[in-house]
Amino acid sequence: MMKKVTLSLFACVAILLSAAADEGMWLPSLIGSRIKDMRRKGFRLTAEDIYSVNKASMKDAVVLFGGGCTGEFVSAEGLLLTNHHCGYGSIQSLSSVERDYLTHGFWAQSRAGELPVPGLSVRILVRMEDVTERVAAGEKPAEIAKAASEEGHAADVQPMYYGNQYFLFVYDVFRDVRLVGAPPSSVGKFGGDTDNWVWPRHTGDFSVFRVYAGEDNRPADYSKANRPYRPKRHFPISVKGVDEGDFTMIYGFPGNTQEYVTSDAVEYVAEVSDPMKIELRTQRLDIISAAQAEDPAVRIQYASKHASIANAWKKWQGEVLGLRRLGTADKKRAYEKRFAAWAASKPEYAGLLDSIRTAYDAAKPEYYVYELYTESVGAIEAVRFASQLTARRSRMKEGEDFASAAREMRESFMKDYSPKIDRAIARKMLGEFLDRMPADRVPAELTAAVAECGGASEYVDRLYDNTTLTAESFDPAKIDDDPMVRFVAMFSPLRKRIAESAYRNLSNIPSVERWYRPFVRAMMEWDRDRAFFPDANLTLRVAYGSVAGYEYADGEYHRPVSTLEGVMEKDNPEIYDYDVPQRLRDIHAAKDYGRWGCEIAGRVSVPVCFLATNHTSGGNSGSPVINGRGELVGINFDRTWRSTMSDMEFDPSICRNISVDIRYVLFTIDKVGGASYLLDEMDLRR
Ligand code: ARG
Ligand code: ASP
């Protein structure tokens, strides 16, 4: 309180300026351009320490985990940390009713007890290289990648700034990755969907893996004879902890941002796309939640589906709120006006904004069809299953037996499927599709069939009454006669168009994207003071900032650290999301914190999570949070929901990423998991 009042005007200005620069996800090989700013904010190392081709650097300690998360090495023997929600699928796949690792957690207790996860791989960046000139000289990106991958690596070439630059990324792909440990979900997913995207947060969102390699320390298929991989670099761990104001750096793989799109695109997202998707998902979630409340078996069966539907649903709500609150579309409109005035005298740029607008006007209805289909009819489980079956059949190779493949697919589909829930969702979703879709895009056959039945719900009932895909009488030889398969087939032309357009987001629609390339180039030429960084595209990035709370509204200040006291305050055995494990209750009651206890805000407790100003996005989950000395202080796992507009506009005053404090990770391994042997191979620093 006193501190706030005595802040001088100068200090206020300094804070604002430095905060404003926390925006950005920088390419590691170009981090030299930011290093002065980073050092001013508390980074003590060099650009070479972050990324180097010639010697081991931090980048050798960071991995792309699975298809869309980040992980980091914390020992010389390939020990890897990531989030619990990133390891979730692996942990689930290794679990059974008798060995339920999701519920009870898992600790290998020895190397021999570590569990291989079939299908799981991690990628380590070997090097990245600017290949813009080679592409400009006529080489195809795919050919450049192919040539690089022939050296026994995986490689791809990614455009930056809409193709104003191209970078080659060369990776080692390790395919023998084993589960070492996971806390029970009552720690790793504590707070569940209720607390997801929310601060204050008390989730121990971490899991532990180990990467294995062949005798030569190179990637190898799973073999009992493989050895722990010896990474070139691993992170030392600071057990000193973090304080407000401390420098933080996030090193990881953010997936997708759209910072340079025009006002029209922002308006479409905030006023058309997100609201439509939110409304449709609200309906699906309501149906699932009601069924879950009625039947505990359904609660478990649909837990993971509910979580993934709710995750984006909540994120979009924050995005809409944030974009409106910031007035992003209006601000961009004003910016575009100034740009247009500058560009007016430059023939190569003068018409760009008009071209983008015209391209959007043409593309938007098409894009909306894609989004609406995906979120309505495409979200029906039986529809997805029917499509998977026919897709599988069209991929059959000589000698393969479709019937047994289909039966296997059916078995795994039915495991977590409620025909009752899906029917209720299908009635709503088909209704919404028909209401919202322009009439000329609704398959004529469907219109006729619905009319014949007397309405969408009646039509859906008939589908579900007659389909055999989900029935005991399922016959793989007769799927073409099945009403559900025929229903899906009605959408084939629409699906084909969608597949061909390969949309990822509003700015990569090809007809629009071609204009973004000169537009971004022109912006860079014009707006000299702006620090441009390429949009996230699941390539390795560095984001830096500091541990910081935030004041969302007048008087609504959020302190940046949470503690075990907050976990216990939420404890409620009646509420699934807040049912603290008994072991943790006992530890808390006895204050048996060992070396992990410390004084925070006047109480002796264990630190749990903290907030920082790093610019992150989906894919940054599991990313190492690194202090000024290059030591690991946390694992990133979330943002606040009111931050999520940062994918389009980063607001330094309220955008915060959420990390689990590394001391809570170590405390949980040591005290809750009883796996302190893992700490022995880590490099803990005071
Ligand atoms: N919101 C985080 C992210 O986008 C975490 C999601 C997993 N947690 C959950 N309770 N659903 O991935
Ligand atoms: N939870 C996200 C992830 O899984 C991170 C974020 O969107 O902030 O990558």
Side-chain angles (χ1 to χ4, degrees):
M1 180 69 166
M2 278 309 287
K3 225 161 101 194
K4 288 228 158 115
V5 177
T6 53
L7 267 183
S8 71
L9 182 64
F10 174 77
C12 286
V13 170
I15 283 168
L16 283 177
L17 281 179
S18 63
D22 290 343
E23 177 181 2
M25 308 172 166
W26 311 97
L27 287 170
S29 62
L30 303 180
I31 200 66
S33 69
R34 309 300 307 174
I35 210 76
K36 244 170 99 178
D37 190 42
M38 291 174 75
R39 291 188 60 94
R40 194 167 58 75
K41 289 176 174 163
F43 188 59
R44 308 270 179 78
L45 308 177
T46 65
E48 276 271 293
D49 291 315
I50 293 173
Y51 178 92
S52 168
V53 249
N54 305 312
K55 58 176 185 116
S57 62
M58 274 185 218
K59 74 125 173 59
D60 299 307
V62 183
V63 310
L64 177 66
F65 183 88
C69 274
T70 305
E72 56 275 3
F73 288 116
V74 289
S75 92
E77 291 164 281
L79 198 66
L80 192 74
L81 293 179
T82 186
N83 291 145
H84 186 263
H85 81 260
C86 295
Y88 200 83
S90 303
I91 303 165
Q92 183 171 43
S93 73
L94 298 170
S95 293
S96 61
V97 178
E98 303 78 51
R99 295 169 294 131
D100 182 353
Y101 304 140
L102 281 178
T103 304
H104 305 297
F106 169 79
W107 301 101
Q109 298 302 354
S110 72
R111 296 277 160 92
E114 297 176 355
L115 303 176
V117 187
L120 177 64
S121 66
V122 304
R123 283 178 172 232
I124 304 172
L125 182 68
V126 177
R127 66 189 170 87
M128 55 188 289
E129 190 184 322
D130 188 339
V131 293
T132 312
E133 283 178 15
R134 288 170 64 184
V135 174
E139 278 187 77
K140 293 249 178 305
E143 284 161 13
I144 298 177
K146 187 151 177 272
S149 60
E150 272 159 14
E151 301 152 20
H153 299 289
D156 63 68
V157 170
Q158 289 290 338
M160 304 288 165
Y161 302 114
Y162 298 92
N164 282 300
Q165 270 183 359
Y166 285 88
F167 273 81
L168 166 68
F169 294 87
V170 180
Y171 300 97
D172 272 333
V173 184
F174 287 86
R175 307 178 295 277
D176 185 353
V177 184
R178 306 185 194 174
L179 179 66
V180 172
S185 290
S186 50
V187 170
K189 204 178 183 314
F190 183 76
D193 278 353
T194 319
D195 285 5
N196 189 26
W197 301 110
V198 169
W199 183 263
R201 189 63 154 275
H202 301 92
T203 312
D205 197 344
F206 79 94
S207 55
V208 191
F209 290 80
R210 192 186 305 279
V211 176
Y212 281 76
E215 189 112 10
D216 53 0
N217 206 33
R218 295 287 305 147
D221 286 329
Y222 168 77
S223 154
K224 229 179 142 183
N226 284 348
R227 299 173 174 183
Y229 170 64
R230 297 181 304 282
K232 287 198 197 111
R233 192 66 172 274
H234 65 272
F235 286 109
I237 297 175
S238 167
V239 293
K240 251 171 69 183
V242 290
D243 275 321
E244 182 150 22
D246 283 358
F247 174 88
T248 53
M249 169 176 137
I250 301 267
Y251 210 161
F253 290 87
N256 192 341
T257 62
Q258 303 169 71
E259 308 289 343
Y260 305 106
V261 293
T262 58
S263 52
D264 285 351
V266 172
E267 202 167 76
Y268 173 80
V269 168
E271 307 305 333
V272 180
S273 162
D274 280 0
M276 178 272 285
K277 295 189 290 191
I278 293 164
E279 283 166 33
L280 297 195
R281 285 198 179 203
T282 303
Q283 297 184 19
R284 284 160 69 199
L285 288 167
D286 285 349
I287 291 169
I288 296 173
S289 301
Q292 285 179 309
E294 258 171 41
D295 182 349
V298 173
R299 188 184 54 65
I300 298 169
Q301 218 184 8
Y302 271 71
S304 167
K305 289 173 187 170
H306 188 285
S308 79
I309 300 168
N311 192 42
W313 171 78
K314 207 157 171 182
K315 184 202 145 156
W316 291 326
Q317 293 178 56
E319 188 167 72
V320 169
L321 186 74
L323 292 173
R324 289 185 185 160
R325 176 177 148 125
L326 287 174
T328 305
D330 284 342
K331 273 196 264 177
K332 291 218 176 205
R333 225 168 265 124
Y335 184 81
E336 285 155 16
K337 222 166 146 181
R338 283 185 283 129
F339 171 84
W342 170 82
S345 61
K346 308 198 169 39
E348 74 274 37
Y349 298 144
L352 276 179
L353 283 167
D354 292 336
S355 302
I356 294 181
R357 165 158 292 171
T358 308
Y360 264 135
D361 286 346
K364 259 190 284 184
E366 208 56 47
Y367 190 75
Y368 182 76
V369 165
Y370 149 68
E371 291 199 299
L372 177 57
Y373 173 79
T374 310
E375 286 292 323
S376 60
V377 173
I380 298 168
E381 289 182 74
V383 164
R384 288 205 214 153
F385 178 52
S387 328
Q388 281 160 9
L389 277 177
T390 50
R392 181 74 185 85
R393 192 180 52 190
S394 62
R395 284 199 319 266
M396 291 306 289
K397 294 195 196 83
E398 275 281 320
E400 272 186 314
D401 176 18
F402 175 65
S404 64
R407 286 189 198 284
E408 226 169 82
M409 286 169 71
R410 181 176 173 279
E411 199 170 314
S412 91
F413 173 73
M414 294 303 289
K415 200 172 132 241
D416 287 327
Y417 179 67
S418 155
K420 205 173 133 204
I421 292 179
D422 198 36
R423 179 193 295 240
I425 288 179
R427 283 165 148 236
K428 287 270 190 210
M429 292 302 105
L430 185 63
E432 292 291 343
F433 176 86
L434 294 170
D435 279 354
R436 292 170 190 252
M437 194 60 89
D440 63 338
R441 304 305 302 272
V442 176
E445 218 183 323
L446 176 66
T447 312
V450 168
E452 193 206 311
C453 289
S457 296
E458 290 75 9
Y459 172 75
V460 166
D461 281 342
R462 204 161 82 183
L463 270 184
Y464 281 74
D465 288 342
N466 292 302
T467 181
T468 58
L469 296 190
T470 54
E472 285 304 324
S473 58
F474 175 61
D475 183 350
K478 295 199 184 125
I479 58 170
D480 289 316
D481 303 329
D482 188 88
M484 194 65 74
V485 173
R486 288 214 300 267
F487 173 62
V488 173
M490 293 177 191
F491 297 92
S492 289
L494 194 139
R495 292 158 71 104
K496 191 159 167 268
R497 251 164 99 159
I498 290 172
E500 281 165 5
S501 45
Y503 297 138
R504 201 160 27 85
N505 60 48
L506 249 191
S507 48
N508 86 336
I509 301 169
S511 61
V512 182
E513 199 172 18
R514 50 187 282 245
W515 299 114
Y516 269 116
R517 186 173 168 178
F519 175 55
V520 170
R521 193 185 338 124
M523 253 193 306
M524 290 168 128
E525 216 176 291
W526 165 61
D527 194 354
R528 300 247 167 215
D529 292 335
R530 184 168 176 181
F532 287 87
F533 55 91
D535 271 317
N537 55 0
L538 215 62
T539 59
L540 191 58
R541 303 300 176 91
V542 170
Y544 59 93
S546 58
V547 176
Y550 68 102
E551 185 163 315
Y552 184 75
D554 185 36
E556 190 198 319
Y557 178 71
H558 295 262
R559 202 181 69 191
V561 294
S562 67
T563 69
L564 193 56
E565 305 316 302
V567 176
M568 297 314 299
E569 281 158 16
K570 285 176 177 169
D571 183 19
N572 185 341
E574 308 284 307
I575 302 176
Y576 179 76
D577 285 347
Y578 294 133
D579 189 7
V580 173
Q582 190 53 43
R583 175 129 187 81
L584 189 51
R585 286 188 192 122
D586 295 342
I587 291 170
H588 179 257
K591 298 235 173 299
D592 174 24
Y593 303 147
R595 57 172 149 159
W596 313 112
C598 58
E599 201 182 304
I600 306 167
R603 294 194 283 194
V604 173
S605 192
V606 179
V608 175
C609 292
F610 64 88
L611 289 176
T613 61
N614 301 85
H615 191 177
T616 56
S617 191
N620 268 125
S621 275
S623 296
V625 190
I626 301 151
N627 69 13
R629 290 178 299 278
E631 300 156 344
L632 190 69
V633 291
I635 309 172
N636 182 72
F637 71 97
D638 208 1
R639 285 169 284 171
T640 69
W641 69 290
R642 299 189 293 200
S643 297
T644 55
M645 75 302 194
S646 67
D647 289 350
M648 302 188 99
E649 184 182 354
F650 183 85
D651 177 354
S653 67
I654 62 166
C655 285
R656 296 292 178 269
N657 61 310
I658 304 177
S659 304
V660 54
D661 193 302
I662 202 66
R663 293 169 296 173
Y664 192 54
V665 172
L666 299 174
F667 162 81
T668 302
I669 293 174
D670 180 12
K671 289 287 184 179
V672 183
S676 60
Y677 73 97
L678 287 174
L679 273 43
D680 298 341
E681 66 181 280
M682 298 178 192
D683 181 0
L684 305 185
R685 294 192 186 163
R686 274 242 154 247

